[in-house]
Amino acid sequence: MKHEHGTRRRGRTRCRTGRTGRTVRRGVGRVAAAGGAVAVAWSVCPLQPVHAAPKDLGGWTLSGSASPLSILIYDKAIPVPADPQVEINFTYAGVTMQSGSAQAVSSALWPGTTIAEGLPQLIKSDKAAWPAWARAAAPGGPAKASKDPGMAAAARDRHATAATEGGPPRDSLGTLNLGTTSVPLPDLAGMIGFRGLACSADGTVTGTSAGAAVSATMPKSSLFGGLVTIDRVTARAAASSDARHGTATGSAAYRGLKVLGQDVTISDSGDVRVGGKPFLPGDQKKTLADLGFTFQRGGVKRTVDGAHATAAATGPKIVWDTRPLRAALDGPLELLKQTMSPQDLKDLGFLFDLAPKIVIVLGNTTADATAAPPIDAGGLPGSPPSPDGAAPVSAPDAQPDVRLPQVAGGAPATAPAAAFGGLPGALVAGGVVAAFAAAWGLRRFDAAMFPGGTCASGHPVGVPDLRGRR
Amino acid sequence: MSAVLELTGVRAGYGRIEVLHGVDLDVPEGSLTALLGPNGAGKSTLLKTVAGLVRATSGHVHLSGVHVNGAAPGALARAGLVTVPEGRAVFPNLTVEENLRLMTYGGRREAAVRETAFGRFPRLAERRRSLAGSLSGGEQQMLALTRALVADPVVLLVDELSMGLAPMVVAELYDVLAGLADDGVTVLAVEQFAATVLAVADHAAVLVHGRIAAAGPPRRIGADLAELYLGGAA
């Protein structure tokens, strides 16, 4: 500690003998008061770093998820507290990490976190459990988890990874335990007609960066009984942060998209074309809109805000908003409602309000990362551990010498006075001091100056003295 | 028992997305109140709104009879409104002792911080030289709770205490919160998994889709929970 304090003094000396200091002293006429003010100003000059640069990040938050095929259903009438209300991911991998904790999830069929983790709450049975996932977590464990077919997850405090391959399986994924009853999950391969989906998610924290990278791959596949086929879809997204800057990258590609056996392209504006011509005759967009269909080409979205980075990469999307068709059913459904008992209407009434928007995403990946600068613990008070392992003892009345976190490797900040010299600098400094004083006075005595300030419900406005109530 | 924290018609959100759609909630003084609700219901947003981290777009947040909409989070914390955030937010690369030493930042002496930490959580004394990142989830949560206790809270907001913890550890931590409430601290605990907190809570409320779907005795709320989750969502 002595050495460190000495270093700090040297830092001040350099600051006081600089050119700026001489200029300031001449500008204020070398009067003693100004000299004192300059001395005070110098005392708050940023200090030179006194400790070796810390070698580790101070904290991080990152997440990533990937699925080759996601079906998302949005409808507020569906009584599931999530957004989207229903999601089905055919093969899924995801990681979430925060400083000191990590989780990795691998699933051959993922219904979203709300359903998979909240099933016991949703159906009020502790025995209820989603069968088709492997989850690893740290701390708390398990550090590794795997499940057939092709689900594997591992998590340590600085590394989490999940990989799911080969899905969906030809056999049932198991039995969905609903507490009082069990329901076998269906043969997914039969449902969607292909296999070989794969995805992975990886979160890694090193001493200087935290990052998440995810990928999803869909091999040659056919949807809707062969109406739509596609040779391959790949999507990758990665986000990382070094606590100063975020970096987001991604790629999404597909090839061999065919509808009804014809090669099809989707333009940036969502036009579906065959050989440069509209896929449907007439006003294609209107025809599709009347049916509620839109197509999106997909792509990569990158967002970087300081140390925070987000990347989302998706392949083609098919959006079917059923509301235009649903409107045509209002009359018949109203008649059906009138035939139902009040209790049935209460239990099942929400079904009549259903008009979901269904979004099919081929290749669905997102990654998000942010990190905080290292914590310089070297300036903390306390003696080094004694040889017998007893706790370090501080002087009982000593005030802690805690320093604000510094960015590792960061250049020492320049003195604020460097930009202003002479009388203008003194005036600016004086103005700032006066403004602080006025603000402090207003804040301190606002109640005395402006009595009777209340909110619309007649309560006084401000911050209460909670401890004064004791 | 009077309410030290009252929310009336509080609306809040992020940008154009409104998350709280008119929340009415009373938290009695010196009680442990459980705020339950499914994932995405707005529980954490409600805590952030009370703590001043998210500004209410309308409605009233009254703390000890004072309208605190727009009050700075720091001012509220200095007044005695203390938050234990979701995810613990301990410094993983510092030891337990170094984390405790950072808690002296608010002006408490180190001896007092250590007394609070090791008195409430003897397990932390055993692990005092371990890096916080290597602690179990329960131990990390103890460290996070210590940081809040060191601030001498009058109103304590706790977000998802049970996240990633074993049920026995959660029960132990909620016993600590119940003890604080017995000592006169008002505790509002947000929780997604209800059974453990309802066992020690004095009051409970359920938030579904940004509105209070029910409030009352924990036993009654626990019995109706599934129906509240589903009914409120419909």
Side-chain angles (χ1 to χ4, degrees):
Chain A
M1 293 296 286
K2 284 179 182 175
H3 172 73
E4 290 164 357
H5 288 162
T7 308
R8 194 185 315 168
R9 282 194 204 99
R10 285 195 296 278
R12 277 185 195 153
T13 302
R14 280 198 296 276
C15 200
R16 291 184 65 174
T17 55
R19 191 176 63 179
T20 309
R22 288 194 295 275
T23 305
V24 170
R25 282 194 292 275
R26 279 198 301 273
V28 297
R30 297 190 179 96
V31 296
V38 171
V40 170
W42 282 177
S43 72
V44 297
C45 278
L47 305 176
Q48 300 293 330
V50 293
H51 304 296
K55 294 175 181 172
D56 215 345
L57 293 175
W60 55 86
T61 299
L62 55 89
S63 62
S65 65
S67 177
L69 173 59
S70 299
I71 298 177
L72 315 174
I73 300 174
Y74 298 84
D75 192 327
K76 295 286 186 191
I78 298 173
V80 174
D83 191 33
Q85 281 67 34
V86 178
E87 64 177 296
I88 306 167
N89 296 282
F90 293 89
T91 305
Y92 170 89
V95 294
T96 54
M97 298 177 73
Q98 287 185 316
S99 308
S101 66
Q103 177 177 273
V105 168
S106 167
S107 176
L109 182 69
W110 183 244
T113 305
T114 302
I115 298 292
E117 296 190 8
L119 200 58
Q121 293 287 335
L122 285 169
I123 63 172
K124 202 180 176 184
S125 169
D126 290 339
K127 294 178 183 172
W130 183 252
W133 65 318
R135 174 184 176 275
K144 288 183 180 177
S146 60
K147 193 163 191 175
D148 285 331
M151 293 171 265
R156 301 195 305 267
D157 62 337
R158 284 166 178 268
H159 187 211
T161 183
T164 314
E165 294 178 342
R170 291 201 182 283
D171 302 322
S172 171
L173 282 167
T175 303
L176 174 59
N177 185 345
L178 296 173
T180 55
T181 185
S182 296
V183 179
L185 288 179
D187 170 7
L188 297 171
M191 277 176 66
I192 58 175
F194 55 88
R195 299 181 69 240
L197 304 179
C199 58
S200 67
D202 182 277
T204 303
V205 179
T206 68
T208 53
S209 73
V214 295
S215 70
T217 306
M218 171 189 271
K220 185 166 186 172
S221 311
S222 73
L223 297 167
F224 310 124
L227 291 177
V228 178
T229 61
I230 194 162
D231 283 349
R232 186 175 180 81
V233 178
T234 57
R236 292 187 175 86
S240 65
S241 174
D242 64 2
R244 288 175 147 194
H245 307 291
T247 305
T249 59
S251 64
Y254 68 93
R255 67 167 187 256
L257 176 62
K258 291 184 179 179
V259 178
L260 297 175
Q262 301 186 72
D263 289 321
V264 163
T265 59
I266 302 173
S267 71
D268 289 339
S269 60
D271 278 335
V272 182
R273 291 178 171 271
V274 179
K277 296 178 180 176
F279 176 64
L280 296 177
D283 188 344
Q284 174 178 264
K285 272 202 164 176
K286 183 177 182 312
T287 305
L288 290 172
D290 289 345
L291 296 170
F293 276 101
T294 53
F295 291 83
Q296 296 172 13
R297 186 178 183 174
V300 181
K301 284 184 182 173
R302 289 182 287 265
T303 308
V304 175
D305 181 11
H308 183 201
T310 302
T314 62
K317 286 184 188 177
I318 302 167
V319 181
W320 182 27
D321 189 340
T322 62
R323 279 176 296 185
L325 297 179
R326 170 66 179 73
L329 297 175
D330 281 347
L333 289 177
E334 197 56 42
L335 290 174
L336 185 58
K337 268 189 195 177
Q338 291 169 10
T339 66
M340 294 176 68
S341 70
Q343 185 59 44
D344 287 347
L345 206 54
K346 183 184 174 190
D347 295 340
L348 303 173
F350 75 90
L351 293 172
F352 293 100
D353 298 325
L354 288 178
K357 184 170 82 171
I358 301 167
V359 181
I360 299 170
V361 188
L362 309 181
N364 187 11
T365 59
T366 59
D368 183 284
T370 186
I375 306 297
D376 183 356
L380 297 173
S383 307
S386 60
D388 62 1
V393 178
S394 297
D397 294 327
Q399 287 300 309
D401 180 20
V402 180
R403 216 154 299 165
L404 289 172
Q406 298 174 4
V407 176
T414 55
F420 290 93
L423 189 58
L427 288 173
V428 169
V432 170
V433 170
F436 271 114
W440 178 82
L442 281 171
R443 188 169 180 78
R444 184 76 177 80
F445 302 110
D446 57 350
M449 288 188 285
F450 307 108
T454 61
C455 71
S457 59
H459 291 72
V461 177
V463 176
D465 177 13
L466 292 172
R467 295 192 180 93
R469 290 169 58 100
R470 287 174 169 168
Chain B
M1 196 181 290
S2 63
V4 70
L5 177 62
E6 297 170 276
L7 282 76
T8 311
V10 170
R11 292 175 175 273
Y14 307 93
R16 288 186 301 174
I17 301 172
E18 186 176 89
V19 178
L20 303 180
H21 309 296
V23 170
D24 298 308
L25 179 68
D26 287 355
V27 179
E29 186 172 5
S31 70
L32 170 53
T33 299
L35 180 62
L36 309 172
N39 201 11
K43 305 185 297 295
S44 295
T45 303
L46 189 149
L47 283 199
K48 289 175 183 170
T49 305
V50 172
L53 296 165
V54 170
R55 183 173 287 235
T57 52
S58 68
H60 302 274
V61 181
H62 292 150
L63 186 63
S64 190
V66 177
H67 184 83
V68 295
N69 292 45
L76 291 169
R78 279 189 292 277
L81 181 83
V82 178
T83 304
V84 179
E86 180 182 338
R88 299 149 201 163
V90 298
F91 295 99
N93 307 317
L94 301 183
T95 66
V96 169
E97 277 191 331
E98 287 166 340
N99 269 275
L100 295 177
R101 217 169 287 151
L102 281 174
M103 296 173 197
T104 62
Y105 201 81
R108 290 287 297 273
R109 290 177 182 160
E110 188 173 348
V113 173
R114 291 162 64 92
E115 184 182 333
T116 301
F118 301 154
R120 290 273 185 188
F121 307 109
R123 179 85 182 132
L124 290 181
E126 297 168 19
R127 303 295 306 274
R128 61 184 185 274
R129 297 200 186 289
S130 303
L131 289 177
S134 70
L135 301 181
S136 70
E139 290 164 345
Q140 286 185 358
Q141 195 61 275
M142 291 173 192
L143 198 52
L145 271 178
T146 299
R147 183 176 50 219
L149 299 181
V150 162
D152 188 20
V154 179
V155 177
L156 185 61
L157 310 176
V158 185
D159 197 359
E160 298 281 9
L161 185 77
S162 70
M163 182 174 282
L165 304 184
M168 263 179 66
V169 178
V170 176
E172 184 183 336
L173 293 173
Y174 272 117
D175 282 343
V176 171
L177 293 187
L180 289 174
D182 290 342
D183 293 342
V185 177
T186 304
V187 182
L188 176 59
V190 154
E191 191 54 80
Q192 188 176 347
F193 301 105
T196 312
V197 67
L198 287 178
V200 296
D202 301 304
H203 305 275
V206 181
L207 188 69
V208 180
H209 279 299
R211 291 187 179 87
I212 296 293
R219 186 182 295 267
R220 180 167 65 77
I221 294 294
D224 298 341
L225 203 56
E227 188 180 337
L228 287 167
Y229 276 29
L230 296 173

